Amino acid sequence: MRVGTRPGTTEAAVQELSVVGVRVELPGNQPIVLLKEAAGDRYLPIWIGAVEATAIAFEQQGVKPARPLTHDLLRDVLTALGSPLQLVEITELKDNVFYAELVIGDGVRVSARPSDAIALALRVGATIRCAEQVLEDAGIVIPDEQEDEVEKFREFLDQVSPEDFAG
């Protein structure tokens, strides 16, 4: 786990992303979270675990469990410590594995899986950013004729329940 600050470093080019949603990719029943570049037309699909897919779907659909999930607990701990999550940055793609960092408090960076970071960011309304190099390597552009597929995906998200991701 990497914890630390990077004072005096210059940030590489980053792009803000929004969460389109989660879905299960067939035939392997593997959940993915789909992110979209806020000021562009690239999408970033990241394969994630079922637990994280459920956590993201719960938050997007406004489902509040009776007891806090792990991401709710982390949000509450950061709040109690007075070190709120400032932003999430997807920093790297290495050997087909995505890496992310939580930026908390006064710029402390903590290494995190992107799925956990996204679930936490949704809970606190934090910005999600991505290194330009990651978008160049893994981002996809959906041509206009395929935009209806994205619309179908959004319709799917409106109808799916978080329990659909429970394995």
Side-chain angles (χ1 to χ4, degrees), residues 120-136:
L120 182 59
L122 287 174
R123 281 163 171 71
V124 301
T127 300
I128 300 170
R129 300 188 318 190
C130 183
E132 178 63 34
Q133 187 61 52
V134 173
L135 280 169
E136 286 179 18

Side-chain angles (χ1 to χ4, degrees), residues 78 82-87 103-108:
L78 290 173
S83 294
L85 178 66
Q86 302 297 324
L87 65 97
V103 180
I104 58 174
D106 292 329
V108 174

Side-chain angles (χ1 to χ4, degrees), residues 27-38:
N29 289 329
Q30 180 67 41
I32 66 167
V33 60
L34 185 64
L35 305 161
K36 183 179 185 308
E37 186 178 26

Side-chain angles (χ1 to χ4, degrees), residues 132-152:
E132 178 63 34
Q133 187 61 52
V134 173
L135 280 169
E136 286 179 18
D137 293 343
I140 57 173
V141 175
I142 300 176
D144 290 340
E145 62 268 11
Q146 291 181 5
E147 281 294 323
D148 62 330
E149 290 298 318
V150 174
E151 187 56 37
K152 288 179 188 174

Side-chain angles (χ1 to χ4, degrees), residues 33-115:
V33 60
L34 185 64
L35 305 161
K36 183 179 185 308
E37 186 178 26
D41 57 355
R42 292 178 289 185
Y43 289 83
L44 185 65
I46 301 177
W47 278 257
I48 62 176
V51 171
E52 294 78 17
T54 301
I56 292 168
F58 269 15
E59 191 60 29
Q60 284 196 304
Q61 294 179 0
V63 174
K64 301 297 179 202
R67 298 292 299 142
L69 298 177
T70 304
H71 303 97
D72 302 314
L73 173 65
L74 183 53
R75 174 202 58 212
D76 295 346
V77 167
L78 290 173
T79 300
L81 293 174
S83 294
L85 178 66
Q86 302 297 324
L87 65 97
V88 163
E89 189 170 324
I90 300 169
T91 57
E92 189 175 16
L93 175 62
K94 185 169 51 174
D95 299 324
N96 293 321
V97 176
F98 289 91
Y99 293 82
E101 292 181 345
L102 305 174
V103 180
I104 58 174
D106 292 329
V108 174
R109 290 179 170 261
V110 179
S111 180
R113 295 183 305 176
S115 55

